[in-house]
Structure formats: structure tokens, C-alpha cells
Amino acid sequence: MLSFMSLEQAPQGSETILVVEDSPQVRTLIHDVLEMRGYRVFEASTSREALEIAGRPGMHIDLLLTDVVMPGMNGPDLAETLTARQAGLKVLFASGYAADALAQYGVSGNFALLEKPFSPDTLARKVRDTLDSRPR
């Protein structure tokens, strides 16, 4: 259940975010929380859908928020593809795996991670922090 008290205090934004998550419940939660905070949110349940959305004429995405482990192309491979297409694209990985276990999925080095499960407040803060971070 969303706590609207904590959402009132959470950071806001106006950037465009592409959420890629194969779980419909998690995807809907992320979408709703971020939209309530003022972000423009696009959803995809697969990497293929995400690539289609990102390839739309005039589409500019400020943040890719993607699950790490997904059927087909995983989150790190998707992030690599999209960051090669769009300079300056920020990436936030979401995962229930421990950070040190993510290397087997191609996540290594300096990256932003949203650990599942997360609260709406944690989601909003991590998104804002990632968007405000310096390019890597």
C-alpha cells in the first residue's frame, strides 16, 4: 500500500523515465509512484518493447530504470544498447539480488542500484539521486 504521507516529502521531477520490468505489479507500482512525483513515465515489460519505445522519433529518455534479470535480453545488455544510442542516458538497475551477485548478469563497476523490495519513498529518492548524479 502506498503511503501518501511519505510521497508528499519525496523528491519530484519532470524528466522522462523508461521503466522496464517483467513483473506487472512492480511495473505498475513504479509507474504510479513516479507519475505522482511529476515524471513522464513509459513502461515496457520486455527489452524488445523498451527498444521500440526508445526508438520512437523524437523520443528522449533521461533515465532507464530496468530490472537486471529478465527473459530475453537482460537489463545490463539493454542499458548498454540504449546508452550507446543516447549519450547522457542515466541508468538505474533494480534487483532483488545482492550487489556482489549481479556481476554474473553483466552488472559491474560503478552503477546505481535500487534493491528490491523497496518503498515508494526509497524509489523516489533513488530516481532523483540517479538523475542528479554526474555522468559516469
Side-chain angles (χ1 to χ4, degrees), residues 67-84:
D67 194 1
V68 172
V69 180
M70 295 185 298
M73 180 187 285
N74 66 28
D77 290 343
L78 174 64
E80 185 177 327
T81 300
L82 290 181
T83 55

Side-chain angles (χ1 to χ4, degrees), residues 49-72:
E49 274 184 72
L51 291 169
E52 289 172 9
I53 292 168
R56 292 176 184 167
M59 177 61 76
H60 175 82
I61 300 164
D62 297 294
L63 176 70
L64 170 66
L65 194 167
T66 182
D67 194 1
V68 172
V69 180
M70 295 185 298

Side-chain angles (χ1 to χ4, degrees), residues 4-63:
F4 291 98
M5 287 276 262
S6 70
L7 284 176
E8 292 297 323
Q9 301 165 358
Q12 297 187 9
S14 59
E15 293 90 345
T16 299
I17 301 173
L18 175 56
V19 175
V20 188
E21 169 63 58
D22 57 338
S23 166
Q25 297 85 2
V26 175
R27 192 173 59 249
T28 298
L29 171 70
I30 293 170
H31 179 272
D32 291 350
V33 168
L34 295 178
E35 192 172 70
M36 288 173 60
R37 303 311 318 147
Y39 297 101
R40 182 175 177 213
V41 182
F42 291 89
E43 294 181 39
S45 60
T46 65
S47 292
R48 174 181 231 150
E49 274 184 72
L51 291 169
E52 289 172 9
I53 292 168
R56 292 176 184 167
M59 177 61 76
H60 175 82
I61 300 164
D62 297 294
L63 176 70

Side-chain angles (χ1 to χ4, degrees), residues 72-110:
M73 180 187 285
N74 66 28
D77 290 343
L78 174 64
E80 185 177 327
T81 300
L82 290 181
T83 55
R85 289 184 187 177
Q86 183 183 312
L89 175 64
K90 304 283 181 86
V91 178
L92 174 57
F93 292 112
S95 180
Y97 291 91
D100 57 347
L102 294 176
Q104 67 181 326
Y105 295 101
V107 178
S108 60
N110 192 10

Side-chain angles (χ1 to χ4, degrees), residues 110-132:
N110 192 10
F111 58 88
L113 176 65
L114 176 65
E115 294 182 39
K116 295 178 184 177
F118 51 82
S119 69
D121 201 37
T122 300
L123 168 64
R125 290 183 196 290
K126 193 66 175 185
V127 164
R128 186 74 260 155
D129 289 348
T130 304
L131 284 165
D132 291 342

